[in-house]
Amino acid sequence: MDPSQPARLVAGYPQTRQRTPAQPLVRRAPTLSERTGPLDLARRLALHGGELAGSGERRAIGQRIHLRVRVLDEDGAPVGGAMFEVWHANAAGRYAHPEDDEHAPLDANFRGDARLTTDASGAIELHTVKPGAYPVPTRDGWWRPPHVHFSVFGRIWLSRLVTQMYFPGEPLNAQDRILNAIPDAAARERCVARFVPPAAEPYDALVYEHAIVLRGCRATPAQP
Ligand SMILES: [Fe+2]
């Protein structure tokens, strides 16, 4: 097993049992469509830009943050034109999703998701609020730390990374069953954003930077 990738089966995380094959995997050649598609995703899917937290009178409640994410290859070269999807809970730790429960309030001004493409420097910028922690429905004391989900699509179906980003200094990071399913501490650290010391601009938001590396020994771990 690669210690920089999460374990398939995680104690106390029941879904990993359901999605882990009981039989050995069967190797097969990728199909033509898997190797060549999807084409023109940016044209076929709606892009909504990186504004998740509204503006003016209709601003979401919570600590405003700017997330500056860069997508890089194993040599540190930018990956432009990648389809980048993001979703996270509101400041109270509630997803705007019918399957989330009533443990915390919704926020009508919080969008909760975005889809955009990386620019030529591999960058996207999100203007949002810091997500709250939330209790997991296992109801055994497991709380997810504040985190942001990302999906990055390359040019073909087989080049997709689904991962999560965490915030530095959060006490729940040390206990999270998903983050700590990655055995290697340095690989876990690659899932944690960097806090940028506040400056005059932006005056109304804290800034975090994060790199997503798609391959190689510094690759960002998958976090389903
Ligand atoms: Fe989540």
Side-chain angles (χ1 to χ4, degrees):
M1 193 199 124
D2 178 354
S4 70
Q5 293 294 331
R8 284 184 180 276
L9 279 170
V10 178
Y13 184 14
Q15 288 93 330
T16 61
R17 211 166 35 241
Q18 293 154 11
R19 67 187 182 212
T20 298
Q23 303 290 324
L25 300 183
V26 177
R27 247 183 214 291
R28 64 161 177 81
T31 64
L32 181 64
S33 59
E34 285 171 334
R35 284 186 284 115
T36 58
L39 297 174
D40 291 333
L41 261 188
R43 185 176 55 80
R44 288 154 62 182
L45 297 175
L47 302 179
H48 342 111
E51 301 289 338
L52 284 81
S55 60
E57 293 284 294
R58 309 222 43 187
R59 294 214 291 193
I61 291 173
Q63 170 64 65
R64 289 178 72 77
I65 61 171
H66 290 184
L67 277 184
R68 295 173 181 160
V69 184
R70 289 190 74 204
V71 181
L72 306 169
D73 73 10
E74 62 193 301
D75 300 317
V79 178
M83 173 68 62
F84 195 100
E85 295 172 304
V86 52
W87 62 102
H88 70 80
N90 69 20
R94 172 92 181 262
Y95 284 101
H97 190 281
E99 286 188 15
D100 206 352
D101 65 19
E102 303 283 334
H103 71 273
L106 286 167
D107 180 344
N109 296 327
F110 177 67
R111 175 171 176 98
D113 62 32
R115 181 186 292 128
L116 54 171
T117 53
T118 57
D119 67 15
S121 68
I124 58 113
E125 179 158 327
L126 304 169
H127 297 167
T128 186
V129 293
K130 185 177 176 186
Y134 59 80
V136 180
T138 50
R139 296 193 176 221
D140 58 356
W142 177 19
W143 279 63
R144 297 297 327 276
H147 63 280
V148 179
H149 295 263
F150 296 135
S151 162
V152 186
F153 255 120
R155 291 194 180 83
I156 62 170
W157 290 116
L158 299 177
S159 62
R160 186 185 186 200
L161 173 68
V162 177
T163 189
Q164 299 182 36
M165 187 208 85
Y166 301 82
F167 291 84
E170 289 291 333
L172 290 167
N173 288 350
Q175 305 163 29
D176 184 49
R177 295 174 194 170
I178 295 178
L179 177 59
N180 291 286
I182 303 166
D184 181 54
R188 290 198 297 275
E189 202 51 41
R190 295 201 289 276
C191 296
V192 180
R194 186 180 85 86
F195 177 65
V196 178
E201 292 291 335
Y203 83 98
D204 63 347
L206 295 173
V207 177
Y208 291 86
E209 291 179 344
H210 190 54
I212 293 180
V213 180
L214 298 177
R215 287 203 313 193
C217 60
R218 300 262 317 139
T220 303
Q223 287 270 271

